[in-house]
Each structure stands twice: as structure tokens, then as C-alpha cells.
Amino acid sequence: MKFEVKQGSKKLIFNSELTGLVVNGKEYVSGKGGALIYDQTKELKASEVKLQMSSNTSTLIPALRVLSVPYSSYFDQKEVVESQNNITFYWNKSKLAAFYNRFSTDELDYGKRESVIREAVNFLTANIAKLRLEDEFLVRVLEVCKLLGFYQGFPIFDSSTGFAKLQSRLGIHIDPEAIMISTPLDKYEQDVYELAESILEVTGLEFSRKKNRVVFPKDKKLINLLGLKLE
């Protein structure tokens, strides 16, 4: 699934097959070592970018910067940028949490994301001098999490409700289009990677590594391995 958002002569192309940002034919993704797309693309300029079908600022802000489309300097603040590798940022109120309260696509199927993403882009490019957001707690943190079961001692959560990725020390999270294993705490990162490697050995499914988390495709083999029966 694809769609375009134009900013004057510049173009953002959202693509459900991407997990990062493509500039001048090269794809940039956040890696295991924590290298952010924001930092990898700092010197790049283009008139067109391709990016994951998400309102996440991890790709959306770098994409706007590459296109030289203005946005609020708030999103360039160090702690806001580094929140991409530090989910505990959301233990406190912030304008970034308020942004996601309004424009998050994390819990939506791809077919329902386009309108939200368009609204997010319009908001970011219309509120440049003064960001019209108050500091808020992330609403999803206040919701009850839904436990689906356990695998090798790891709890399995339905990501459509609550925010177990922040509240659970270690967890397996069933997203709309993927399955993530993650921890909010650096000291448990290796446990995440070890579990991912064991799943790879059993299923043959490859995964992408990011800081404190890995992402698998939402494949039937993995669903069966986890002992789940999803609708």
C-alpha cells in the first residue's frame, strides 16, 4: 500500500513495505546499535522521500528535514530525538506524548492510517513558530494491558490496548502488522536478542534489530509457536 503527500514541489511517499526512510535510492533504518535515522540523514537533501507508513517522528521528522520543509524546532531537541531509543521518556508528560495522543498510527491497520498520517503532516508543517500542544501523559500508558499468554517465561501482549512495551520489563507484543520483542530497560537488551535468535532457529523467520527490541513479521509459524489463536 502506498500514498503521496505533497508539500509544494516536495513529495513524501508512504509505503507499507518500508521500515525506515529512503533518500536518493538508499534506505536508512534504525539499527541494533541505536543509530537513529535522524542522525544518519542529517546532511541529506532531496525533493522526494519514501518512508514507512507511520506517523512516528523517527522517520517523519527526518523526512521533512531532508525535503527542507519547516517544522517546529521542538522535534530537534536532544531528549525528544533520543526518546526513540529511550521509551522511558514517556514516564513523564511531554508535548511528544500529546502529539501521539492525537496522531498515533501504532495501533491501526495500514488501511486505516492514511487519514491520520495526512493530519499529522499538516499539523507539523502548520505549527512551526509555536507548537500548539500542551505537555500530556501518553494516554495509552493509562490503559489496561491485555495479556495473551506466555512463551519461555516472556509475557505476550495484545498491542491494540494499553502500552505494555513501556510497562513490561520484558515482553512479546502482537502489533497489527508485526510481532515485537522488547524491553524499556537497557540491562535486559541481551535477553531480547537471545530470545529472537532462538525463535529464528525454530521458525526460520528473519527479524530486524533495533535498540532494546526486535521485530518479526506477523507470520503464521510464529503465531503457532507462541501458542496463540488470533482472529
Side-chain angles (χ1 to χ4, degrees):
M1 180 179 174
K2 300 178 183 179
F3 68 89
E4 297 180 1
V5 176
K6 292 185 178 180
Q7 291 287 310
S9 61
K10 309 297 178 64
K11 187 186 298 183
L12 298 103
I13 302 174
F14 293 88
N15 187 334
S16 60
E17 295 182 359
L18 297 178
T19 58
L21 178 67
V22 177
V23 182
N24 298 324
K26 181 177 179 179
E27 184 172 13
Y28 299 87
V29 296
S30 178
K32 175 186 174 182
L36 300 175
I37 295 171
Y38 182 92
D39 294 324
Q40 296 177 55
T41 59
K42 198 164 259 186
E43 306 302 324
L44 301 180
K45 296 297 177 185
S47 59
E48 175 184 297
V49 296
K50 301 175 183 177
L51 63 162
Q52 64 181 355
M53 193 170 292
S54 167
S55 62
N56 286 354
T57 58
S58 60
T59 51
L60 194 46
I61 291 299
L64 293 175
R65 186 181 60 188
V66 168
L67 297 177
S68 298
V69 173
Y71 56 86
S72 171
S73 61
Y74 168 80
F75 294 98
D76 291 324
Q77 292 181 14
K78 183 178 180 181
E79 66 172 1
V80 175
V81 172
E82 292 182 348
S83 70
Q84 297 163 36
N85 273 339
N86 182 14
I87 197 172
T88 60
F89 174 86
Y90 296 102
W91 282 344
N92 300 307
K93 290 183 177 181
S94 69
K95 289 181 175 60
L96 187 59
F99 173 81
Y100 285 125
N101 286 341
R102 295 175 64 173
F103 302 114
S104 175
T105 53
D106 287 350
E107 72 282 5
L108 298 177
D109 293 333
Y110 284 135
K112 298 178 180 179
R113 294 187 180 191
E114 180 175 348
S115 62
V116 178
I117 291 172
R118 289 185 181 277
E119 289 176 5
V121 173
N122 289 339
F123 180 86
L124 289 172
T125 56
N127 293 271
I128 301 168
K130 181 174 176 57
L131 188 61
R132 296 180 182 176
L133 292 171
E134 300 295 330
D135 290 345
E136 297 176 4
F137 283 115
L138 197 63
V139 169
R140 289 181 62 202
V141 175
L142 306 178
E143 297 175 356
V144 175
C145 298
K146 183 177 180 181
L147 181 66
L148 299 176
F150 291 87
Y151 178 74
Q152 294 190 10
F154 282 66
I156 306 170
F157 297 98
D158 181 348
S159 291
S160 66
T161 181
F163 199 14
K165 292 173 185 175
L166 178 62
Q167 296 172 313
S168 175
R169 184 175 63 182
L170 290 164
I172 301 170
H173 309 280
I174 312 302
D175 294 335
E177 307 292 342
I179 295 177
M180 178 184 289
I181 306 171
S182 71
T183 175
L185 303 173
D186 290 349
K187 65 180 179 178
Y188 298 116
E189 182 180 45
Q190 192 57 39
D191 296 278
V192 169
Y193 296 145
E194 288 177 0
L195 179 62
E197 291 290 350
S198 71
I199 290 175
L200 169 62
E201 290 181 10
V202 174
T203 66
L205 295 172
E206 297 290 341
F207 57 88
S208 60
R209 293 173 180 255
K210 299 183 179 181
K211 189 174 186 298
N212 291 5
R213 60 200 187 276
V214 301
V215 180
F216 280 94
K218 197 173 181 179
D219 188 275
K220 187 176 181 179
K221 287 186 290 186
L222 182 48
I223 295 295
N224 291 338
L225 179 67
L226 297 176
L228 301 178
K229 293 183 179 180
L230 303 181
E231 297 180 358

